[in-house]
């Protein structure tokens, strides 16, 4: 919901960093991999309740996630392979953060973490399933033409997810409630994406199944 507003604000600083990396012949895939490894370090940090350090790792991961795309566009290295590994590692990272909170306090957090992972399955599969079909039918991407995959909008997108992860780290004692609220928003997103994606694809071909 907020990505269409947040992305223009990050375009210039990311482009500036991308130029710096490009001058040193650093590739987008290298940025993707390093960002993923840094982000995954948040898993043990969360498990041992080092929430501030975990938050730093999370924010660095999200910076890298935006930077690899900016670098790919600048260097002309955009590819389906790069987009695939980027989105794939993103979902692994998101799941790892939720697992980290479950490990930190299983008694308090495990159920909420399981519900949130369930919701993530809904948002992730609805996003990727539509992207596959949209790619095959060359459906236009009016709001996010720079994305490697068709970016089907929803109530919870990248910006909202970052905000949720930050709140989890700042208020870990309230993780069950925060995770529950975010899971509910994710389930709304999954439902609207499934409905919207179905009708978009049905309209694009002009016939029913």
């Amino acid at each position: 919901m907020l990505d269409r507003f947040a992305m223009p604000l990050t375009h210039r600083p990311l482009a500036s960093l991308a130029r710096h990396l490009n001058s040193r012949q650093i590739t987008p895939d290298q940025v993707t991999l390093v960002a993923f490894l840094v982000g995954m370090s948040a898993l043990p940090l969360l498990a041992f309740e080092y929430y501030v350090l975990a938050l730093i790792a999370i924010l660095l991961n999200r910076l890298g996630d935006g930077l690899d795309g900016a670098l790919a566009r600048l260097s002309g290295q955009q590819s389906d392979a790069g987009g695939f590994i980027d989105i794939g590692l993103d979902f692994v990272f998101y799941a790892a953060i939720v697992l980290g909170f479950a490990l930190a306090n299983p008694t308090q957090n495990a159920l909420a973490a399981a519900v949130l992972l369930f919701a993530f399955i809904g948002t992730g599969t609805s996003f990727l399933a539509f992207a596959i079909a949209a790619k095959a039918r060359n459906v236009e991407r009016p709001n996010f033409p720079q994305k490697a995959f068709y970016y089907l909008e929803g109530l919870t997108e990248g910006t909202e997810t970052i905000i949720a992860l930050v709140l989890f780290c700042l208020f870990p004692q309230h993780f069950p409630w925060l995770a529950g609220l975010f899971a509910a928003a994710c389930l709304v997103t999954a439902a609207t994406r499934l409905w919207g994606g179905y009708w978009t694809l049905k309209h694009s071909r002009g016939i029913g199944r």
Side-chain angles (χ1 to χ4, degrees), residues 108-124:
Q108 173 183 283
N109 295 343
L111 178 59
V115 172
L116 184 52
L117 287 174
F118 167 72
F120 276 177
I121 292 293
T123 56

Side-chain angles (χ1 to χ4, degrees), residues 2 4 38 40 50 59 89 98 102 124 126 128 134 150 159 169 174:
L2 297 177
R4 67 167 66 190
V38 171
M40 289 301 292
Y50 294 113
L59 293 177
L89 294 181
V98 179
S126 60
L128 294 175
Y150 190 105
T159 303
C169 291
H174 299 304

Side-chain angles (χ1 to χ4, degrees), residues 98-180:
V98 179
L99 175 60
F101 279 97
L103 294 174
N105 190 335
T107 302
Q108 173 183 283
N109 295 343
L111 178 59
V115 172
L116 184 52
L117 287 174
F118 167 72
F120 276 177
I121 292 293
T123 56
T125 54
S126 60
F127 176 91
L128 294 175
F130 181 81
I132 293 169
K135 179 76 171 180
R137 302 197 60 82
N138 294 315
V139 177
E140 294 182 357
R141 299 170 289 179
N143 293 322
F144 304 97
Q146 77 279 13
K147 288 289 184 180
F149 294 94
Y150 190 105
Y151 199 86
L152 189 60
E153 298 173 73
L155 180 61
T156 57
E157 299 170 349
T159 303
E160 290 82 6
T161 303
I162 294 172
I163 292 171
L165 298 183
V166 169
L167 290 175
F168 293 165
C169 291
L170 292 179
F171 306 102
Q173 70 276 20
H174 299 304
F175 175 81
W177 289 104
L178 293 170

Side-chain angles (χ1 to χ4, degrees), residues 42-82:
L43 174 56
L45 290 171
L46 289 170
F48 289 103
E49 301 185 71
Y50 294 113
Y51 295 113
V52 174
L53 292 176
L55 177 57
I56 293 171
I58 289 168
L59 293 177
L60 288 174
N61 171 272
R62 294 297 82 201
L63 173 62
D65 183 61
L67 187 55
D68 58 5
L71 181 57
R73 291 187 292 274
L74 176 68
S75 60
Q77 298 182 57
Q78 288 178 284
S79 67
D80 288 341

